Amino acid sequence: MDIPQITSKDAANIGEMGQTYLTTGKHVALRRWEEPAGDFGEPRSREYEIVGYVLSGAFELDLDGGTVQIYSGDSWLIPAGATHRYRIIESLVAIEATSPPARFNDRDEPA
C-alpha cells in the first residue's frame, strides 16, 4: 500500500446500504453514512468494533437492550459482538471507523 492513501469523493465505493467507503488501512476503515429519518432496523452484531461521530442530525441507538439518543457533535462506541440497532430521528450524516476494517468488498452491511 502506498502512503499516503487518498480516496477522492469521486472514487469512493458505495455499499449496498448507501454507506460511502472512505480510506481503509490494515487496522481501521472509515466510512460515511447519510440516512433519512426512519424506524429501527433489525438488531445485529458485528465482529468488529465501531466508533462514530455525528456530523449532523440525530439517531437513537439500542445497544444490548439499553437505548440512548445521539446528536450532532456526539460520538459513540459499539464493542465487537454487541447486539445493536439504530433509529434515525433526524436526517443523519455520520462518520464511522471500524476495527478491524469493514471493507467494501466484504459486502458489509450497516452497523
Side-chain angles (χ1 to χ4, degrees), residues 39-93:
D39 290 330
F40 273 111
E42 292 297 316
R44 63 188 70 239
S45 65
R46 297 287 184 238
E47 294 180 14
Y48 47 78
E49 182 175 72
I50 302 164
V51 295
Y53 179 79
V54 177
L55 296 169
S56 64
F59 71 96
E60 197 167 53
L61 173 62
D62 183 8
L63 179 63
D64 285 334
T67 303
V68 63
Q69 292 186 349
I70 302 172
Y71 299 95
S72 181
D74 292 345
S75 57
W76 71 94
L77 163 71
I78 299 172
T83 301
H84 62 283
R85 64 184 183 151
Y86 299 108
R87 180 175 73 90
I88 309 302
I89 299 169
E90 183 181 308
S91 291
L92 181 73
V93 178

